[in-house]
Amino acid sequence: MLKSLFNWKVLVNLVVAIGVFVGLVWLTFRWLEYHTNHGQEIPVPNVVNKSVHDAVKILDDTGLEYEVDSANYDPKYRPFQVLQIYPAPGSRVKDGRTVRLKVNPRTWAQIAVPDVINKYSGLAFQRLDQVGLKIGDTIYEPSIQKDALLRILYKGNAVNPGARLPRFSVIDVVVGSGPMRNISIPNVVGLSVKEARAVITKSMFEVGLVEYEDGGKDESDIIYYQDPAPGDVRDQGMQIDLWASKKTPAELRAKVEQLNSIYRMKVDTSLPPVRYEEVHNEPSYEAPVVPPPAPRRETPKTEAPKTETSKPQSTTPKPTSTGTEKPKASTSTPATGTAAKPAASTTTQQPAQKPKAKKVVVE
């Protein structure tokens, strides 16, 4: 077997096989070098902080492909400024390699305006803030829809729901402040129905019932009657009913008189005017009811009997003298031989006593 292995034919075949294998491997690597441009690498140029137009021109001159990716808008950088590049600047890549550029967009990404028209202003403001719109000025306009959002303005122009605006744009809103009071009714008699609608809308009223004499709905018919009457004052948003015909108001005078008897109130001016006087009613206060006092019970008090004591008096004869002497009253004890006048009373008279206060017991 070993003898047959070292046969010259076997050795030739083995050498040929090895040569073919080495040739194929060499050809393969040569083809790969040619196909992949082996040894022909290009450094990535530094285009960071350049505008996207300049960066694209540089990459085209270098022989590199590019792909632009917009990042979130950053107001600190210029619009269309290159923020990043991948691969990093200075890296060596093959010719035709795609380089990705991250560019700052011109402005914020656009968003759709939400449908908040005729909605309550508080909820509308919250919805606008959620989508990224900033509210600038709030303009109040007379409207029967009080506190409702009527319009959205962007740079002075009205914006419809669904329109696309840049994120964080500043918008102005128009909010209803309530109806105006005491507005004069315009005179639309003699105008066509179309013209009357425009005048009524401009005067902040609404068109109510429109009755056509012939039953049609021709907007060119002439208004010959309206209710309320021209010159009356009403609040904003009130309806004005119209009567229209192809005839002129002068030709429908009888019809106008009939409508006046129905819709116009006649005021009798012959009666004297009624005078109203303002009466000031002062508040009256009633005295609280006090119950009658309880009957008093008097307790009689016994008084001591008064005793009078009279003193015996004696009269002595006045002696005769040349001078005048004052009489002196003296009390002397009667002698035995002298007759004395007995006293009128044996009791001694005392001075009258003051009445004492009575004691009152209230039960």
Side-chain angles (χ1 to χ4, degrees):
M1 180 178 179
L2 292 175
K3 187 178 180 179
S4 61
L5 180 62
F6 288 101
N7 191 357
W8 64 274
K9 293 183 179 180
V10 174
L11 293 175
V12 170
N13 291 333
L14 182 60
V15 171
V16 172
I18 294 173
V20 171
F21 176 76
V22 173
L24 291 175
V25 171
W26 181 80
L27 291 175
T28 302
F29 278 101
R30 293 295 297 177
W31 178 81
L32 289 174
E33 289 178 1
Y34 175 79
H35 183 73
T36 59
N37 297 325
H38 182 68
Q40 299 179 6
E41 295 179 345
I42 302 174
V44 177
N46 187 6
V47 293
V48 178
N49 297 330
K50 296 182 179 295
S51 66
V52 66
H53 304 288
D54 295 340
V56 168
K57 185 177 180 181
I58 293 173
L59 293 176
D60 286 337
D61 295 341
T62 309
L64 298 175
E65 300 293 333
Y66 57 87
E67 180 180 345
V68 178
D69 183 16
S70 297
N72 293 328
Y73 176 72
D74 193 341
K76 296 186 297 183
Y77 301 101
R78 301 188 309 271
F80 305 116
Q81 180 180 352
V82 178
L83 303 179
Q84 292 180 358
I85 183 173
Y86 180 80
S91 301
R92 303 186 68 84
V93 296
K94 302 295 183 180
D95 186 16
R97 171 71 182 272
T98 301
V99 178
R100 180 176 296 178
L101 301 177
K102 190 174 182 181
V103 181
N104 188 37
R106 181 176 58 182
T107 183
W108 298 100
Q110 291 188 343
I111 57 174
V113 177
D115 186 7
V116 292
I117 303 299
N118 298 328
K119 301 292 178 59
Y120 176 63
S121 58
L123 298 176
F125 292 170
Q126 183 179 4
R127 178 59 180 155
L128 292 173
D129 184 69
Q130 288 176 352
V131 299
L133 295 177
K134 301 298 181 181
I135 298 175
D137 296 335
T138 301
I139 305 170
Y140 290 93
E141 181 180 284
S143 174
I144 58 176
Q145 295 177 307
K146 187 177 181 181
D147 296 331
L149 194 145
L150 304 179
R151 291 189 303 278
I152 297 176
L153 304 178
Y154 179 66
K155 295 183 179 181
N157 299 322
V159 178
N160 297 325
R164 303 192 68 84
L165 297 178
R167 188 179 178 87
F168 302 116
S169 297
V170 179
I171 59 174
D172 301 330
V173 293
V174 180
V175 179
S177 61
M180 294 182 64
R181 306 293 182 182
N182 300 328
I183 306 176
S184 179
I185 300 291
N187 186 5
V188 296
V189 175
L191 302 178
S192 64
V193 177
K194 184 178 181 180
E195 295 173 343
R197 291 182 186 274
V199 172
I200 291 173
T201 303
K202 185 178 180 181
S203 301
M204 294 182 290
F205 292 102
E206 294 183 2
V207 179
L209 175 66
V210 180
E211 184 175 342
Y212 297 89
E213 185 186 21
D214 56 358
K217 293 184 179 180
D218 190 358
E219 294 289 316
S220 62
D221 287 1
I222 304 301
I223 304 297
Y224 67 89
Y225 194 80
Q226 70 177 78
D227 182 61
D232 290 354
V233 290
R234 295 290 189 274
D235 295 341
Q236 178 186 357
M238 296 294 293
Q239 292 185 348
I240 300 178
D241 297 335
L242 304 175
W243 283 259
S245 174
K246 296 187 180 298
K247 301 178 182 179
T248 61
E251 296 174 346
L252 299 170
R253 184 169 301 177
K255 183 68 174 179
V256 172
E257 293 296 334
Q258 181 182 0
L259 293 174
N260 280 333
S261 63
I262 299 174
Y263 295 100
R264 301 289 187 265
M265 180 183 297
K266 295 182 179 180
V267 180
D268 190 358
T269 59
S270 62
L271 298 176
V274 180
R275 297 180 60 187
Y276 297 94
E277 295 181 359
E278 186 176 358
V279 179
H280 298 279
N281 294 327
E282 297 183 356
S284 59
Y285 300 94
E286 296 182 359
V289 180
V290 180
R296 300 179 178 179
R297 179 183 297 177
E298 298 183 359
T299 304
K301 185 176 181 182
T302 58
E303 297 182 358
K306 299 181 180 180
T307 57
E308 297 181 357
T309 306
S310 60
K311 296 182 179 180
Q313 299 179 357
S314 63
T315 306
T316 57
K318 298 180 180 179
T320 305
S321 61
T322 56
T324 304
E325 296 180 359
K326 291 182 181 180
K328 294 182 180 179
S330 60
T331 305
S332 61
T333 306
T336 310
T338 305
K341 194 172 182 180
S345 174
T346 59
T347 62
T348 304
Q349 186 176 2
Q350 297 180 356
Q353 297 180 358
K354 295 181 179 180
K356 297 182 178 180
K358 298 180 180 180
K359 185 177 182 182
V360 180
V361 178
V362 179
E363 292 183 356

